[in-house]
Amino acid sequence: MKFLSISVVLSFALLATQSTAQAVSVTGDVTFGVDGSTSDRAQVVFGGHRQGGGPQRIIDHDYNTFGIKEVIYPRELKNHALVRFNARKHHDITFPVPAGFSQETVSTFSTSKEQEPMETMLQHLDVWSRSSDSDEVLAHFTASQFERFERAMYLKGIPEGGDDWQVVERDLQRVADKDAEDIYMTSLLVHLEQKATAFMDNGNKRHKDKKKKRVDFDTWFKNYHPHDEIKNFYLQIADDYPDLITYIPSIGKTVEGRDIFAIKLTAKEDDGSLKEKPQIWWQGLQHAREWAGGSTVQFLTHHLTSNYGKNDNVTAILRDTEFVIVPIMNVDGYDYTWNNNRLWRKNRRQNGLGAYGVDLNRNWDDHFAEGGSSGFPWSETYHGPSAASEPEVQALQKFFSEQKRIVGAIDFHCYSQLVLRPQGWTTQLSPHEKEHKFVGDKIVSIIKNVHGKKYISEPSVALYKTTGAASDWFYGDQATAANNGQHVYSYTIELRPSDTNPGGRSGFILPPEEIIPLGEEIAQAMEFFVDYVVKNPLKN
């Protein structure tokens, strides 16, 4: 990500605000005058010194500068650890369970007939990744879980740092707080860059006459955004491209009563009408913490709209195809990652006894609860009380079933750099394995040619077994029947990075500077995907 240097930006901010009544200082403490849109006074110190203190950055009491509110997380992740360990070898480690439960009853919550002791143990943990043979697992431990795990390894005489176990990050709260600070500082720098540009453009009639927009597309992809800003992003695109976008305010409600919005994207006819075309389904943020999945869906939407009439391939695609896009499936969970816990995965159903959330990607009505998920309400893969019990899943299954012409569907997730094809519920190859493999392999090849990132194309079950997953439902019998008997090319794409780096900075927390290159490589792959599956639909 490239910004104007901070000294230049601050100089322009100083000049741009000199006409205001508020003072501006660039020595020691730096106090910026706020533009006419607000009269709030804000104070920011960049490595300065205050009386009786050392280097620090101070923001006013409500953490709001230039209208940019800093994320201040509660301590939900304090002393939580990220640990890589041999799960098969150390499956005998037990963890605290809620009152009224025992380790034996917990194991009954797994519906897999081939349940291993290792899987029972892993139900307690937030598993980030695991090797194909399940020997090596990367998992998030709560403070009490890590204390128990560390003590068990000590009693076994196994020191940290070897093949048996190693701590990748000792305090995930620190990682979440660092991410929040980076996002805030990035937002502040973007704002100052915009101010500097506005100052330099002062006097330009075109700039003066330009209508103020909800969002600035020029800087949008330099950072991540909360739900209300993302909604404004799509409303602005609908305003800017009325001949391409149909905005749908709600396709259903979340468990907490929020609207799930969607859009349809295609080129209208010269008379403003819409003809029936093959459809492509994209969805993002089914898992709340996977922000890069949401930013990628936003990037794809902007890529298509902004290139229509300019890029021959994009123009042809929009004339021949209709996109059905659900940008934020898990609205409640996503809001929770901004306000409470950056690493929250599930929705926000109250399960009772202090347990919250259903893993929406185990709740779809396809081979529900047949292994690869958990009936334990505290588990990160808790599948819910019944198939499609969650209003979010109900809404998307209904909306999908109403379309009737879908030929390709992608559920964007992160992380691991994988292109996963059906099926996740069985090791048997799908009836369209050859076709799915060809398209998946081609997607991987195209991605690598853009920025050199290596993805792996494989069946979902090759990673680990899952049931009740969206991509299996898209391809399965229920969706096919609703889709006029047409099977769908269906994929889950796990985006950057390939693994979590030491220090825990990557993984689910992808740095903002990777939003654009990630979007670029996926956009190229999606142009192929859409063109190919529309012209070569699966034969039944």
Side-chain angles (χ1 to χ4, degrees):
M1 183 185 307
K2 295 182 179 179
F3 296 107
L4 296 174
S5 71
I6 185 63
S7 61
V8 173
V9 170
L10 293 179
S11 298
F12 281 128
L14 170 62
L15 292 171
T17 55
Q18 278 182 334
S19 61
T20 68
Q22 297 177 4
V24 180
S25 168
V26 290
T27 60
D29 296 351
V30 183
T31 305
F32 297 97
V34 183
D35 63 22
S37 62
T38 175
S39 60
D40 293 343
R41 186 178 182 86
Q43 185 178 69
V44 183
V45 179
F46 295 95
H49 294 269
R50 295 184 57 82
Q51 278 190 328
Q56 56 186 308
R57 179 173 66 83
I58 298 177
I59 302 174
D60 66 341
H61 68 282
D62 64 356
Y63 301 98
N64 193 311
T65 304
F66 296 121
I68 303 168
K69 187 175 179 64
E70 186 172 21
V71 176
I72 303 297
Y73 284 118
R75 305 292 90 187
E76 287 195 12
L77 294 171
K78 184 66 177 174
N79 293 326
H80 287 212
L82 188 63
V83 181
R84 197 182 303 275
F85 69 105
N86 188 313
R88 191 176 302 280
K89 185 174 180 180
H90 302 296
H91 67 266
D92 56 333
I93 296 175
T94 59
F95 297 107
V97 295
F101 289 86
S102 68
Q103 290 295 338
E104 289 72 24
T105 58
V106 168
S107 65
T108 66
F109 281 107
S110 173
T111 53
S112 171
K113 296 179 181 179
E114 301 173 355
Q115 177 71 5
E116 297 183 63
M118 177 190 69
E119 298 297 335
T120 300
M121 185 264 289
L122 290 180
Q123 284 187 77
H124 293 268
L125 302 175
D126 175 14
V127 177
W128 285 27
S129 67
R130 57 197 292 185
S131 61
S132 57
D133 59 6
S134 296
D135 282 350
E136 183 179 86
V137 167
L138 181 68
H140 162 198
F141 288 70
T142 66
S144 61
Q145 287 171 340
F146 181 69
E147 181 180 0
R148 181 173 288 232
F149 176 84
E150 192 174 36
R151 176 167 177 78
M153 300 306 278
Y154 171 79
L155 292 175
K156 288 183 176 185
I158 304 174
E160 180 201 344
D163 293 337
D164 283 86
W165 71 288
Q166 53 186 298
V167 177
V168 176
E169 173 55 53
R170 183 60 186 83
D171 186 2
L172 285 170
Q173 186 66 55
R174 182 194 66 80
V175 176
D177 290 343
K178 176 63 166 57
D179 185 53
E181 181 177 355
D182 288 349
I183 287 171
Y184 175 80
M185 294 305 295
T186 299
S187 296
L188 184 59
L189 287 170
V190 167
H191 179 85
L192 294 177
E193 183 182 16
Q194 291 168 340
K195 284 297 188 184
T197 300
F199 174 78
M200 295 178 71
D201 286 343
N202 192 26
N204 184 312
K205 186 177 186 305
R206 182 178 62 83
H207 178 79
K208 284 183 176 180
D209 294 342
K210 194 174 182 180
K211 183 180 178 181
K212 184 174 177 59
K213 295 188 175 184
R214 295 181 181 88
V215 300
D216 181 357
F217 292 138
D218 291 338
T219 59
W220 179 263
F221 294 107
K222 290 181 177 180
N223 211 349
Y224 295 102
H225 304 272
H227 167 251
D228 58 341
E229 292 182 12
I230 295 173
K231 184 176 179 180
N232 279 334
F233 170 88
Y234 283 97
L235 286 169
Q236 188 63 62
I237 281 190
D239 286 347
D240 288 356
Y241 302 97
D243 293 334
L244 298 177
I245 295 285
T246 300
Y247 180 83
I248 304 169
S250 181
I251 61 169
K253 302 280 189 179
T254 66
V255 73
E256 292 183 340
R258 293 180 174 90
D259 287 313
I260 304 170
F261 71 90
I263 67 165
K264 290 189 175 183
L265 167 59
T266 189
K268 296 179 181 178
E269 300 303 295
D270 293 338
D271 61 2
S273 64
L274 286 171
K275 72 176 183 180
E276 291 191 348
K277 307 172 186 178
Q279 295 170 309
I280 298 293
W281 174 282
W282 286 337
Q283 65 180 45
L285 289 169
Q286 181 167 200
H287 287 151
R289 63 192 175 191
E290 298 171 13
W291 290 9
S295 67
T296 298
V297 175
Q298 296 155 38
F299 190 98
L300 291 171
T301 307
H302 185 260
H303 174 77
L304 292 173
T305 53
S306 63
N307 281 293
Y308 179 73
K310 302 174 184 177
N311 177 288
D312 290 344
N313 194 39
V314 169
T315 301
I317 284 173
L318 287 177
R319 286 176 177 167
D320 297 337
T321 311
E322 180 179 63
F323 293 83
V324 184
I325 302 174
V326 183
I328 309 176
M329 177 182 171
N330 185 1
V331 181
D332 299 340
Y334 186 62
D335 276 359
Y336 199 78
T337 64
W338 279 87
N339 298 312
N340 294 83
N341 182 336
R342 174 63 182 85
L343 296 176
W344 186 259
R345 167 186 170 98
K346 301 183 286 182
N347 76 350
R348 292 296 297 164
R349 171 184 285 277
Q350 295 188 38
N351 300 322
L353 297 175
Y356 282 83
V358 169
D359 181 351
L360 297 179
N361 206 32
R362 302 296 185 275
N363 188 245
W364 293 68
D365 193 5
D366 185 89
H367 296 274
F368 174 79
E370 294 181 11
S373 63
S374 176
F376 184 45
W378 285 263
S379 172
E380 290 297 323
T381 59
Y382 174 50
H383 51 53
S386 60
S389 61
E390 304 313 287
E392 296 91 344
V393 173
Q394 293 171 18
L396 269 75
Q397 286 189 178
K398 180 176 182 293
F399 191 51
F400 186 103
S401 299
E402 292 169 349
Q403 304 311 312
K404 308 299 183 184
R405 305 186 309 277
I406 297 175
V407 293
I410 296 184
D411 186 17
F412 288 96
H413 287 256
C414 65
Y415 64 99
S416 289
Q417 294 180 195
L418 302 169
V419 178
L420 303 175
R421 58 185 182 266
Q423 302 173 123
W425 62 274
T426 178
T427 55
Q428 293 182 357
L429 296 178
S430 77
H432 296 96
E433 164 65 12
K434 180 179 178 181
E435 296 92 331
H436 268 111
K437 183 179 187 306
F438 172 80
V439 172
D441 291 351
K442 186 66 175 178
I443 289 172
V444 164
S445 175
I446 293 171
I447 291 173
K448 189 173 188 299
N449 287 338
V450 178
H451 293 301
K453 291 296 181 181
K454 184 178 179 181
Y455 281 57
I456 296 173
S457 169
E458 63 184 7
S460 293
V461 74
L463 182 62
Y464 46 74
K465 185 177 183 179
T466 57
T467 58
S471 58
D472 277 352
W473 186 87
F474 296 149
Y475 177 70
D477 293 341
Q478 188 178 122
T480 300
N483 198 42
N484 288 326
Q486 175 63 57
H487 277 97
V488 171
Y489 284 92
S490 176
Y491 298 87
T492 297
I493 297 186
E494 299 280 358
L495 303 164
R496 295 188 186 193
S498 59
D499 198 1
T500 296
N501 298 325
R505 183 60 182 87
S506 292
F508 297 114
I509 301 179
L510 188 73
E513 56 266 27
E514 292 198 43
I515 292 173
I516 292 175
L518 168 58
E520 290 170 341
E521 64 200 19
I522 300 302
Q524 292 301 309
M526 288 302 96
E527 285 190 31
F528 156 77
F529 171 76
V530 174
D531 183 66
Y532 184 86
V533 304
V534 166
K535 293 176 180 176
N536 302 276
L538 290 176
K539 296 179 180 179
N540 299 321

